[in-house]
């Protein structure tokens, strides 16, 4: 099978993907129960409030060895309590798989946690490139007043393990403390 048999062309302009094979997913505050530290603050918000959107181009079937997936994420500005809007976060199902993220618009932090639960963060901004090593959970938080958008490229066989984060969380949270983003031990 030749490469052109897998996919039709996709357009990537600014922070938007377009084409026949683009998957679009939106995540509202309602579907993030248990993700934010302040569950009361989350539960009293407009449950339809959009927190983040993902567009993905998956040119090969999931699980294909040697394939790559490409995606864009947009995190809307805001906080739940003192915690910035963020993605759910995950390890990869095949934990030995790495990934790249890069900043397109806005500002935020990539929050990383290894299997020993050591957590650290890297500033994301337009033009920043972030290598996410194997065996590392990752999530992104928007610390700005505008949409934070970033790109991602990951192996098509990596999969996503959201359950471990849902069960155990990250060992630190990015909170606004004295007007500044601070990584605080959970």
């Amino acid at each position: 099978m030749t490469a052109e048999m897998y996919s039709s062309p996709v357009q990537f302009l600014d922070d938007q993907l377009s084409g026949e094979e683009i998957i679009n997913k939106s995540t509202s505050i309602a579907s993030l129960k248990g993700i934010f530290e302040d569950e009361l603050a989350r539960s009293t918000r407009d449950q339809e409030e959009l927190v983040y959107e993902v567009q993905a181009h998956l040119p090969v079937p999931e699980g294909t060895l040697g394939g790559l997936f490409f995606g864009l994420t947009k995190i809307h500005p805001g906080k739940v309590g003192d915690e910035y809007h963020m993605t759910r976060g995950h390890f990869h199902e095949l934990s030995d798989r790495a990934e790249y993220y890069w900043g397109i618009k806005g500002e935020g932090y990539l929050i990383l946690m290894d299997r020993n639960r050591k957590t650290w963060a890297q500033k994301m901004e337009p033009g920043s490139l972030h290598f996410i090593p194997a065996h590392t959970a990752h999530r992104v938080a928007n610390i700005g007043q505008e949409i934070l958008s970033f790109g991602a490229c990951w192996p098509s066989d990596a999969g996503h393990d959201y359950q471990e984060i849902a069960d155990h969380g990250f060992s630190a949270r990015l909170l606004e403390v004295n007007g500044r983003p601070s990584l605080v031990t959970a």
Side-chain angles (χ1 to χ4, degrees), residues 81-144:
D82 291 329
E83 197 165 13
Y84 299 96
H85 277 186
M86 63 183 165
T87 59
R88 188 177 305 279
H90 64 274
F91 282 100
H92 288 149
E93 284 179 345
L94 293 180
S95 192
D96 64 349
R97 300 304 194 255
E99 185 168 359
Y100 269 110
Y101 280 3
W102 59 93
I104 298 171
K105 290 182 178 177
E107 61 179 332
Y109 278 91
L110 168 61
I111 304 162
L112 303 151
M113 183 179 73
D114 68 19
R115 289 287 181 183
N116 295 319
R117 301 195 48 79
K118 177 186 175 198
T119 302
W120 66 101
Q122 298 174 353
K123 180 80 184 269
M124 290 186 84
E125 56 195 358
S128 64
L129 180 65
H130 306 269
F131 177 72
I132 301 166
H135 309 289
T136 305
H138 41 289
R139 73 168 25 142
V140 176
N142 180 350
I143 64 164

Side-chain angles (χ1 to χ4, degrees), residues 21-52:
E21 299 177 354
I22 303 302
I23 295 168
N24 293 287
K25 181 182 179 228
S26 296
T27 301
S28 68
I29 200 80
S31 61
L32 294 172
K33 184 177 182 178
I35 298 299
F36 293 97
E37 181 177 55
D38 189 342
E39 177 56 27
L40 179 60
R42 188 211 60 83
S43 69
T44 58
R45 299 277 288 273
D46 174 4
Q47 296 299 291
E48 299 301 315
E49 179 184 354
L50 192 59
V51 177
Y52 65 95

